[in-house]
Amino acid sequence: MDFRIFTEPQQGASYDTLLAVARTAERLGFEGFFRSDHFLRMGSADGLPGPTDAWTTLAGLARETSRIRLGTLMTSATFRHPAILAVQAAQVDHMSGGRVELGIGSGWFEAEHRAFGIPFPPKLFDRFEEQLAIITGLWDTPDGVSFTFRGEHYALEDNPALPKPFQSELPIIIGGNGPTRTPEFAARFANEYNAAFPELEAVRGRFATIRDTCERLERNPGDLVYSAALVACVGSTEQEFQRRAAIIGRDPQELREHGICGTPSEAADRIGAFVREGVERFYLQILDVNDLDHIELIAREVIAAL
C-alpha cells in the first residue's frame, strides 16, 4: 500500500505552486506526485493564472525533485501524436533518473478540445488502442531496429524507435469504467489499473473484471497494480474539515461518502475499507494546492497512523 498526491492544475495553479506541492510530498514520504492533463478549468474555479502543460511541468519537476515518482492521471490521447508522446515521456524519464509513469486515457472533454482548437475525433477507443500499440511498440523495439506501424488512424514508417526510457519498463497506467475495452487495454498494455473516484461497493467488481480479462488473455492478473484516485479532504477537527470542504466548494457529507475525508481517524478508516476491497495504491486528489498544511496533516495523522 502506498500513497501519491494527485493535483488538478487546470483549476488554478502556477508551476511554482506545483513545485511546492511536489517538494512537500517528497519531504513527507509520499511515493508520487501526479497531475491531470487538462487545459480548461472545470466548474466554478477561476483557473488563474492559466493552464500549465502536463509534460512541461513534469520535465521541470524531474530536475527539481530527487526521489518522488512523477506522472499523469491521465494524459489525453487526443492531445499528442503517440510517437511524439513516446519521445516526451522517455526524455522526461531520463531527466528524472527513471521516475516517470505514463497514465494515459482516450480523452473525453469535448469543450476543452473546442476551446483549444484540438480535433475531437470519433472512434476515440479505436485511436486509443493504436496509440497504446505505438507507444509500447516503440519502447519495446530493440536498439538498432526500426519500427513500422500501419493502422486506420496512424501510420509510422521506419521510425528509429528512440529514445528508449531510462527505466527498463516505463510503467503505463490505464483507468476508466468501461466494461469491455478498458479491461482489455489494461490487460494488454498496462502495468497498473486505476479506478477513478469509485464508489466503495464498486471497487471489488471493477478489479475482478480486470483480473478476469487478464486471465482470458493469458496474462497473470498479479502483474498489475490495482489503484484508486480519491478526493482527500481532512481536518484535525470537525471545524477544520468543514473549513477545507468549503474552500474547495464541496459538501462535507458528500465528501465523507465519496472520498478519503473527515477527521484523521475517519480518513484512516476509509482507507482501510478501500484496502479491504483490493486497493493497493492511493492517489489522493488535493484540490486546494495552496494548502500545504493539509498534505502534512494527512502524512502525519492519517498515513503514519495506519
Side-chain angles (χ1 to χ4, degrees):
M1 182 174 56
D2 60 68
F3 297 89
R4 299 174 170 192
I5 296 297
F6 168 40
T7 62
E8 301 276 2
Q10 76 278 357
Q11 301 301 90
S14 67
Y15 172 76
D16 285 342
T17 299
L18 297 175
L19 174 60
V21 173
R23 283 177 167 169
T24 298
E26 183 169 71
R27 174 176 59 83
L28 293 170
F30 287 93
E31 194 207 351
F33 171 90
F34 279 64
R35 60 156 292 164
S36 61
D37 185 20
H38 286 294
F39 296 100
L40 189 67
R41 66 178 177 83
M42 304 170 194
S44 60
D46 59 27
L48 296 175
T52 52
D53 177 74
W55 285 97
T56 303
T57 298
L58 295 178
L61 296 178
R63 308 303 287 180
E64 298 196 84
T65 60
S66 60
R67 178 195 59 79
I68 203 163
R69 305 288 295 178
L70 302 168
T72 48
L73 283 185
M74 300 285 189
T75 286
S76 175
T78 54
F79 289 172
R80 298 167 181 86
H81 191 285
I84 302 303
L85 178 58
V87 171
Q88 288 176 304
Q91 181 182 4
V92 178
D93 196 41
H94 278 270
M95 293 170 69
S96 71
R99 293 183 285 124
V100 162
E101 303 188 10
L102 172 60
I104 184 168
S106 63
W108 63 272
F109 193 8
E110 187 171 0
E112 178 177 46
H113 290 71
R114 291 196 303 269
F116 283 84
I118 301 170
F120 189 73
K123 299 184 178 180
L124 283 173
F125 276 93
D126 291 344
R127 290 175 180 270
F128 185 35
E129 182 175 18
E130 290 190 15
Q131 282 236 355
L132 291 166
I134 289 169
I135 292 168
T136 56
L138 287 167
W139 290 344
D140 290 343
T141 297
D143 289 346
V145 179
S146 62
F147 176 78
T148 294
F149 181 90
R150 296 183 181 90
E152 180 182 351
H153 306 285
Y154 298 100
L156 281 67
E157 190 73 32
D158 293 330
N159 186 291
L162 296 170
K164 296 293 192 287
F166 184 90
Q167 299 170 86
S168 59
E169 184 175 12
L170 192 156
I172 292 177
I173 306 165
I174 291 176
N177 304 330
T180 304
R181 302 199 70 180
T182 295
E184 179 185 331
F185 294 161
R188 289 173 56 196
F189 299 109
N191 303 87
E192 176 178 336
Y193 169 73
N194 178 259
F197 311 106
E199 300 293 338
L200 177 62
E201 59 272 15
V203 170
R204 189 177 296 274
R206 281 203 211 176
F207 290 170
T209 299
I210 302 298
R211 292 179 186 277
D212 290 346
T213 304
C214 284
E215 291 177 351
R216 178 171 58 80
L217 297 179
E218 300 183 343
R219 181 180 182 184
N220 180 1
D223 288 345
L224 273 70
V225 174
Y226 297 84
S227 65
L230 295 154
V231 63
C233 183
V234 182
S236 57
T237 65
E238 178 64 23
Q239 292 73 23
E240 186 175 81
F241 163 58
Q242 294 202 19
R243 177 181 63 80
R244 286 196 165 111
I247 288 171
I248 63 174
R250 300 282 288 269
D251 176 72
Q253 184 58 36
E254 176 266 325
L255 284 171
R256 280 189 162 103
E257 292 173 359
H258 297 107
I260 306 298
C261 302
T263 61
S265 61
E266 287 179 298
D269 288 346
R270 188 74 167 167
I271 288 169
F274 276 98
V275 168
R276 288 189 290 275
E277 295 303 306
V279 176
E280 300 169 328
R281 175 175 291 156
F282 290 85
Y283 293 84
L284 303 180
Q285 185 194 46
I286 303 297
L287 294 174
D288 182 2
V289 290
N290 295 298
D291 187 358
L292 300 182
D293 290 341
H294 184 209
I295 300 172
E296 185 140 7
L297 173 70
I298 292 170
R300 185 183 68 248
E301 296 193 25
V302 179
I303 295 174
L306 291 171

